[in-house]
Structure formats: C-alpha cells, structure tokens
C-alpha cells in the first residue's frame, strides 16, 4: 500500500494541514494458470463502537459496546439490520475489520 503525504503550510508556522492519500495496489497479471484459479475470500465484521456520546458537550465518552450485533438479522438490508442490538447505534459507528484469506 503506497501512501503519499502532502503538507500545506500557511503563513504561520504553527498551522499545518496534512492530507494522506492512499493508493490501492494494482493487481499484477498472472502468467501462471495455476495461480489464476486462486480466489481471495473477504470477511467483513464490525468491532467496538466508536461513537462519541459526549460530543455535543465537548467531551469524549464511548458506551463500551464491544461488537456490532444486528437488531434484525433475518431481513438483510433493512434499517433494523443496520442498528446494533447492544448499543442502538448505526453500524457505521462500529470499527470495520476486514479479514482476507486465500481460498484454493
């Protein structure tokens, strides 16, 4: 994974803005036909809740929810399946963990 860092400085040396841009590596073309049958298996799960419940008063407090559990797992794609049963937060507040493994 290549990362480029651009630093922009204003007239005052105390203010800086750093912008990180991530470039995904391009898949290399496979010359071996045996390698072309291998596939990557991607499993996404959602970890601890990172929602700041005290942001409106200028503080920082998280609720301690350790893992996302869908409120309604039977109906995929509904609003209830995107809400955590433990803390009531949307799935986007939970840390996304992507696990990849090579399947033959």
């Amino acid at each position: 994974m290549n990362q480029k860092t651009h630093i922009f400085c204003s007239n005052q040396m105390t203010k800086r803005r750093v912008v990180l841009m991530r470039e995904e590596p391009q898949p290399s073309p496979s010359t071996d036909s045996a390698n072309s049958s291998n596939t990557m298996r991607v499993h996404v799960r959602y970890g601890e809740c990172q929602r700041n419940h005290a942001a409106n008063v200028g503080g920082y407090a998280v609720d301690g929810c350790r893992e996302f559990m869908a409120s309604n797992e039977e109906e995929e794609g509904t609003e209830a399946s995107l809400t955590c049963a433990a803390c009531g937060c949307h799935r986007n507040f939970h840390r996304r963990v992507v696990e990849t493994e090579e399947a033959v």
Side-chain angles (χ1 to χ4, degrees):
M1 177 179 347
N2 298 331
Q3 290 188 351
K4 293 182 180 180
T5 305
H6 302 284
I7 300 176
F8 301 100
C9 295
S10 64
N11 291 338
Q12 300 172 353
M13 291 304 290
T14 58
K15 293 184 179 180
R16 292 186 184 152
R17 178 192 290 170
V18 178
V19 178
L20 296 177
M21 298 170 49
R22 186 180 309 165
E23 294 180 6
E24 296 297 324
Q26 298 295 327
S28 60
S30 177
T31 56
D32 188 11
S33 63
N35 288 340
S36 63
S37 63
N38 292 346
T39 58
M40 294 297 290
R41 210 169 173 185
V42 178
H43 178 70
V44 178
R45 66 179 183 86
Y46 293 89
E48 66 272 1
C49 184
Q50 298 177 338
R51 181 177 179 189
N52 183 4
H53 291 276
N56 58 348
V57 294
Y60 182 76
V62 293
D63 58 11
C65 179
R66 300 291 297 176
E67 186 176 2
F68 176 80
M69 295 179 290
S71 294
N72 189 357
E73 295 181 9
E74 292 85 30
E75 298 179 26
E76 186 75 26
T78 63
E79 179 107 12
S81 67
L82 299 176
T83 303
C84 182
C87 64
C89 297
H90 192 272
R91 187 175 71 182
N92 288 347
F93 286 109
H94 290 259
R95 185 173 57 89
R96 184 173 191 222
V97 180
V98 179
E99 300 167 344
T100 59
E101 63 182 41
E102 191 170 322
V104 179

